[in-house]
Amino acid sequence: MADKGRALTYAQAGVDIDAGNRMVELIKPLVRATARRGADAEIGGFGGLFDLKRAGFSDPVLVAATDGVGTKVKIAIETGRHDTIGIDLVAMSVNDLVVQGAEPLFFLDYFACGKLEPEIGAAVVAGISNGCKQAGCALIGGETAEMPGVYHGGDYDLAGFAVGAAERDQLLPRNDIAPGDAIIGLASSGVHSNGYSLVRSVVERSGLRWSDPAPFERNGSLGEAILTPTRIYVQPCLKVLRETKAIKALAHITGGGFPDNIPRVLPEGVSAHIDLARVPVTPVFTWLAAEGNIAETEMLRTFNCGVGMMVVVEKERVDDVMQSFAQAGEHAFALGEITHASGAHRVTYAGHLELAPS
C-alpha cells in the first residue's frame, strides 16, 4: 500500500522551480543584448511589451509567424551542441516575416524539456539571442516548461513566434507580378531546418556517427556540418527592398521545397520557370542525394538544395538588385523568370541539379 502520509513536493515529482529561476538569471544578459527601439523592458513579467509608435511606423500592418526547428533538435541533443539551434528557431519565423515586406520587431520562445538543465537552456537561448540580433528584433519574453513524463532524459523541444510590421503600401507580394519578371536566388547556408527526418535516415544508412568527419567538407564533424544554422535573410532583404524598390516578391524555401513554396507568392495565371543548372547545389545536398539514392524530384520538394530565398524582380532592375544584394553580403544569382501559367504546374524546370559528385 502506498504511503499516503509522506509529504510530496513539486521537485520530487520532477519539476525544479529553483532551476527555472536560475535559468532566468542566466539568460537576462542575453535578452538585454537584443534590445531595440520600442523594446526596453526587462524580462520576468507576465508579458512582453513593445511600443510600436517608438519603432517609427506611420501606417503599420502587423505580421506574425510561428515555427519550430523540427527534428534538427534531435541532432543538437545527440551531439551536445546547443548553441546554434536557437538561431534556427528565430530564422524560421523572421524569414517568413520579411517575405511579406515586414521588419521583425520582437520574438518570443517556448522551451520544453523533461529535466531542466539551466546551462543547456541558457546555451539554447544564447542562440536565440544571436538570431534576434541578426534579424534586428528584440527577444521580449518566453516560457520554459519542465514536463517529466512527456519528455524523457535530455530531450527538449523548441517553438517560437515573431511579430513584425510593414507600412501598408509596402507589403509583399506586389500585385504587378507578370510574365517577363526575373527570378533571383539567394544562397542557403546548408540544409537550414527542413527535411531532417530524411537527413537522419540517410546518416543512419551511411553508418556514420555525428562525431565522424563530415564526408562533404574538409574540416569539422558530420554533426557540426549538419547543424550549420539557417541563414537569416532579414537585414539584406530589407536593405535591398528599401534601396531599389524593385522587389515584387520573396519566397522563403522551407518544407515543401521549390514546388510548394514558390507558388505561395504568385498570382493566378503565372508560373515560375527555374533553370536548375544555375542552382549552386551545396555539397551537403550532393552527399545526401548520393548516399540516400534520393531522386531529383524528391530533393526539390524536401530541401532548399542551395537556394534559401527566391526573389521576383522587375526585369530591367536585375543588375541593380544583384549588386545591392552583393553589397549586403549575399550570394545572389539569376535563377529563372516568371512565365504564363501552363496547365496546373506553377513551377516548371529546365536542366537538372548538379547532384553527381565531381
Side-chain angles (χ1 to χ4, degrees):
M1 180 179 293
D3 181 5
K4 295 183 179 180
R6 182 169 62 92
L8 293 176
T9 66
Y10 209 7
Q12 288 171 334
V15 179
D16 189 341
I17 294 175
D18 291 335
N21 291 334
R22 171 169 164 72
M23 180 173 161
V24 170
E25 292 305 312
L26 288 172
I27 67 176
K28 278 185 177 180
L30 302 171
V31 174
R32 293 189 195 108
T34 69
R36 56 154 290 162
R37 189 173 58 176
D40 304 308
E42 182 73 82
I43 63 166
F46 287 94
L49 304 177
F50 192 92
D51 186 341
L52 193 58
K53 185 176 180 180
R54 285 198 62 211
F57 290 89
S58 58
D59 185 22
V61 175
L62 291 178
V63 184
T66 185
D67 211 336
V69 295
T71 57
K72 188 172 185 176
V73 74
K74 287 289 292 181
I75 302 172
I77 294 167
E78 290 167 4
T79 60
R81 297 183 62 88
H82 309 285
D83 57 338
T84 62
I85 198 72
I87 300 175
D88 293 290
L89 182 66
V90 175
M92 296 307 290
S93 286
V94 297
N95 284 341
D96 280 355
L97 293 186
V98 78
V99 300
Q100 296 180 265
E103 173 187 342
L105 301 176
F106 59 84
F107 187 85
L108 293 96
D109 70 279
Y110 177 76
F111 177 92
C113 60
K115 176 175 174 54
L116 181 60
E117 299 288 350
E119 286 72 19
I120 291 177
V124 172
V125 176
I128 295 171
S129 173
N130 187 339
C132 286
K133 286 187 285 186
Q134 290 184 42
C137 65
L139 177 59
I140 66 170
E143 177 67 15
T144 301
E146 192 173 17
M147 297 188 290
V150 176
Y151 298 94
H152 302 281
D155 285 350
Y156 62 81
D157 199 9
L158 300 171
F161 77 84
V163 173
E167 297 293 0
R168 194 176 303 273
D169 60 355
Q170 295 175 15
L171 287 167
L172 295 180
R174 282 168 32 181
N175 59 12
D176 60 344
I177 298 172
D181 287 337
I183 301 174
I184 294 171
L186 301 182
S188 69
S189 57
V191 185
H192 285 186
S193 297
N194 300 103
Y196 272 83
S197 293
L198 181 53
V199 170
R200 289 166 59 239
S201 294
V202 171
V203 172
E204 183 178 359
R205 174 188 282 193
S206 76
L208 294 172
R209 297 168 298 178
W210 296 122
S211 58
D212 290 334
F216 47 86
E217 290 190 359
R218 292 183 179 179
N219 300 308
S221 68
L222 177 60
E224 290 169 340
I226 293 294
L227 283 173
T228 299
T230 305
R231 190 163 184 83
I232 293 177
Y233 298 97
V234 170
Q235 297 299 333
C237 285
L238 289 176
K239 174 182 180 292
V240 177
L241 271 167
R242 292 163 179 170
E243 285 183 355
T244 69
K245 303 188 186 305
I247 293 178
K248 294 188 175 185
L250 294 163
H252 185 200
I253 308 303
T254 58
F258 289 22
D260 284 0
N261 287 291
I262 301 173
R264 296 167 69 179
V265 301
L266 299 180
E268 294 296 324
V270 303
S271 297
H273 186 65
I274 306 298
D275 184 352
L276 295 178
R278 295 185 175 185
V279 173
V281 179
T282 313
V284 62
F285 297 116
T286 303
W287 180 78
L288 287 168
E291 192 68 34
N293 192 26
I294 305 172
E296 181 181 77
T297 53
E298 188 69 13
M299 293 293 294
L300 287 167
R301 68 192 300 259
T302 305
F303 301 115
N304 67 65
C305 296
V307 185
M309 187 77 74
M310 290 191 185
V311 189
V312 180
V313 183
E314 301 171 20
K315 185 176 181 180
E316 298 77 11
R317 301 293 307 282
V318 169
D319 290 343
D320 294 340
V321 171
M322 295 268 280
Q323 182 178 5
S324 189
F325 271 119
Q327 291 172 348
E330 293 298 319
H331 175 201
F333 41 89
L335 199 56
E337 64 177 342
I338 300 297
T339 62
H340 289 286
S342 177
H345 296 290
R346 304 298 304 281
V347 182
T348 60
Y349 306 107
H352 293 281
L353 296 173
E354 190 175 328
L355 292 173
S358 58

